[in-house]
């Protein structure tokens, strides 16, 4: 909520309202993570208890892949339908377009780092997650001070995006340095590549007058392209 408070401080309550509505569209990316975290947290805690690092790395790798696939599909679907979003919520909120983009990207970064938070918080060095959160909070405040006066509500979202990238990298670096956990491989690059190609193809579909028809056609095309490619490339089990 730091960014929301700072938007209100710098730009006023009306812009804070636009930011809030736009922000919640960006959080759609996180829905699969919330479900998976309830499962993985328990399994990771049990693996730490047994000191089964092999299982922890396996979960780490699988969550980064599975969540990256799910998050990428939702992100592509959301951004491909961005004009339809504003037909639903009203043109008064169009200034929040890039808020949706940057918050969605920030949450997509969170999907790509998988269960790193749960691994740290259940590890013997669990206190470090608090230290990293303090750094993250500091980054949020500083980047908002820098970007909100220049870019408005889009600046607040950009601040969240940049801060989330750094926070995600710090968690990855922590696990890599202390436990030699490394979950990434060429499949993560494939997800990004497939996502870009599918989004580009969807952008070639001419818009329909009725936005409901446009959403159905565009979303169906994205799903029918993305899921089979991911399946046949065996990106995620």
């Amino acid at each position: 909520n730091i960014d929301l408070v700072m938007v209100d401080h710098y730009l006023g309550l009306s812009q804070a309202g636009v930011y809030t509505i736009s922000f919640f569209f960006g959080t759609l990316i996180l829905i699969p993570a919330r479900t998976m975290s309830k499962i993985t947290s328990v399994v990771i805690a049990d693996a730490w208890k047994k000191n089964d690092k092999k299982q922890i790395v396996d979960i780490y790798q699988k969550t980064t892949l599975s969540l990256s696939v799910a998050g990428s599909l939702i992100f592509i679907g959301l951004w491909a339908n961005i004009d339809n979003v504003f037909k639903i919520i009203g043109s008064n909120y169009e200034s929040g377009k890039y808020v949706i983009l940057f918050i969605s990207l920030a949450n997509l970064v969170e999907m790509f780092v998988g269960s790193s938070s749960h691994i740290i918080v259940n590890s013997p060095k669990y206190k470090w997650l608090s230290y990293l959160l303090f750094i993250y909070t500091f980054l949020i405040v500083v980047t908002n001070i820098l970007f909100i006066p220049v870019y408005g509500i889009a600046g607040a979202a950009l601040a969240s995006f940049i801060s989330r990238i750094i926070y995600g990298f710090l968690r990855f670096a922590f696990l890599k340095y202390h436990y030699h956990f490394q979950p990434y491989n060429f499949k993560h690059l494939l997800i990004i590549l497939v996502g870009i190609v599918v989004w580009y193809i969807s952008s070639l579909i001419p818009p329909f007058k009725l936005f409901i028809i446009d959403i159905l056609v565009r979303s169906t095309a994205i799903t029918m392209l993305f899921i089979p490619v991911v399946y046949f490339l065996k990106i995620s089990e």
Side-chain angles (χ1 to χ4, degrees):
N1 292 315
I2 292 171
D3 48 357
L4 179 59
V5 172
M6 295 183 74
V7 166
D8 183 32
H9 172 74
Y10 281 103
L11 305 175
L13 192 60
S14 62
Q15 287 296 290
V18 174
Y19 184 83
T20 302
I21 297 295
S22 305
F23 182 92
F24 281 119
F25 276 94
T27 60
L28 291 172
I29 310 294
L30 290 175
I31 290 173
R34 290 170 180 167
T35 305
M36 187 171 286
S37 65
K38 294 176 182 178
I39 302 165
T40 56
S41 184
V42 177
V43 179
I44 289 168
D46 187 59
W48 272 119
K49 184 180 177 181
K50 298 173 183 175
N51 199 32
D52 188 350
K53 292 181 180 179
K54 186 176 181 299
Q55 185 182 18
I56 294 169
V57 172
D58 186 52
I59 293 168
Y60 193 13
Q61 290 174 337
K62 287 180 178 178
T63 56
T64 57
L65 281 170
S66 299
L67 292 177
S68 297
V69 168
S72 296
L73 178 58
I74 298 172
F75 173 74
I76 297 163
L78 179 61
W79 190 244
N81 284 291
I82 192 66
D83 293 330
N84 293 319
V85 168
F86 293 108
K87 289 177 183 176
I88 295 170
I89 64 175
S91 58
N92 293 335
Y93 292 94
E94 282 187 3
S95 60
K97 180 176 182 178
Y98 289 100
V99 173
I100 295 175
L101 174 63
F102 288 124
I103 295 299
S104 297
L105 286 171
N107 290 326
L108 188 58
V109 168
E110 188 66 25
M111 300 291 267
F112 267 83
V113 295
S115 56
S116 58
S117 290
H118 298 290
I119 295 172
I120 297 171
V121 81
N122 285 294
S123 74
K125 298 182 185 293
Y126 63 91
K127 291 180 182 178
W128 273 92
L129 188 63
S130 295
Y131 305 149
L132 295 177
L133 279 168
F134 281 125
I135 295 171
Y136 180 43
T137 305
F138 174 77
L139 287 168
I140 286 282
V141 173
V142 171
T143 52
N144 271 289
I145 290 171
L146 291 173
F147 294 138
I148 291 176
V150 180
Y151 301 112
I153 57 175
L158 177 60
S160 292
F161 175 46
I162 293 171
S163 300
R164 191 69 68 87
I165 289 173
I166 297 170
Y167 177 51
F169 174 76
L170 288 174
R171 286 170 356 198
F172 161 77
F174 176 86
L175 290 172
K176 174 69 174 172
Y177 178 78
H178 288 284
Y179 298 110
H180 308 292
F181 294 165
Q182 203 293 101
Y184 300 109
N185 55 45
F186 75 96
K187 290 183 178 180
H188 294 86
L189 293 175
L190 274 179
I191 294 168
I192 296 171
L193 180 62
V194 170
I196 292 170
V197 171
V198 170
W199 172 81
Y200 177 73
I201 293 171
S202 73
S203 71
L204 300 177
I205 300 172
F208 291 82
K209 289 183 179 180
L210 290 174
F211 72 87
I212 295 176
I213 300 297
D214 192 82
I215 290 171
L216 288 172
V217 171
R218 209 168 294 277
S219 301
T220 301
I222 288 167
T223 306
M224 295 300 289
L225 286 168
F226 187 86
I227 291 178
V229 172
V230 169
Y231 178 79
F232 287 112
L233 289 177
K234 297 181 179 179
I235 290 175
S236 172
E237 292 180 25

